[in-house]
Amino acid sequence: MSDSITRLNAALEGRYRIESELGEGGMATVYLADDIKHERKVALKVLKPELAAVVGAERFLAEIKTTANLQHPHILPLFDSGEADGFVFYVMPYVEGESLRERLDREHQLPVDEAVRIASDVAEALGYAHGRGVIHRDIKPANILIQAGRHTPLHEPRAGHGRPDSGSSHGHLRPRLRAV
C-alpha cells in the first residue's frame, strides 16, 4: 500500500477505508473506498496535496459545491465531502463498469441504437447542468461511465459557471455522467 493511501486511511479512519487507486487527473486522485458507516463501495476523490499547497483548495471546493447542487439521473450524486488532516475530498457512488473510452477501445464501434441512447443521455445531463449555469468543459468518452450495459453519468467532467464566452470560470465541475 502506498504512503499516500496509508496517510489517507489514517486521516479518514472510522469513515472510509481506501482499497485502491482508480485513476488520477490533473487536480485529484480517485480511490475505491469502503464507506464504513453505510457498508458500501464509494469513489473518493482527493485533491492532490501538492496542488492544494500551490494554488489552494478553492477551485476544488467550488467543484464540490457545484456537484452537490446537481441532481439528475445521469449525473452521479455527491454523497459526502470534507477535509481531514490536510486532505480535501468528496465522495460519490462507485460505478462498477467501464468508461465509454474503454468500451470503444475494445469494440471500436457501438451498435447504432446504443450510441444514440448514450448520446441522448449525455445531452440530457448536459442540458440539465447548462440550465443551471454549469458548463462542462471536458466531454470525452473517458468521462462517460457505462454500468451493466447501460450508459452512465458524466465522470470527471470539467466545467465552470457562466457562459462560455463570458470569461467566467469558477473551477472544474467533476460530476460523473450516467447514461441509463
Side-chain angles (χ1 to χ4, degrees), residues 53-120:
V54 174
V55 297
E58 293 78 23
R59 189 171 174 180
F60 194 73
L61 294 171
E63 177 181 316
I64 291 170
K65 184 177 180 181
T66 299
T67 301
N69 286 294
L70 294 176
Q71 297 181 18
H72 187 275
H74 301 306
I75 299 175
L76 288 179
L78 180 84
F79 282 165
D80 189 16
S81 65
E83 187 275 332
D85 195 25
F87 291 104
V88 180
F89 67 93
Y90 69 86
V91 182
M92 301 169 290
Y94 170 65
V95 175
E96 289 189 50
E98 63 186 340
S99 72
L100 179 56
R101 166 60 31 222
E102 292 165 326
R103 174 96 182 270
L104 290 171
D105 286 348
R106 188 180 72 251
E107 296 182 17
H108 305 290
Q109 186 173 356
L110 298 176
V112 172
D113 62 329
E114 187 173 359
V116 168
R117 190 174 66 233
I118 290 171
S120 176

Side-chain angles (χ1 to χ4, degrees), residues 163-176:
R163 299 175 43 87
D165 59 353
S166 71
S168 170
S169 172
H170 301 297
H172 296 319
L173 165 66
R174 302 282 186 163
R176 299 176 182 257

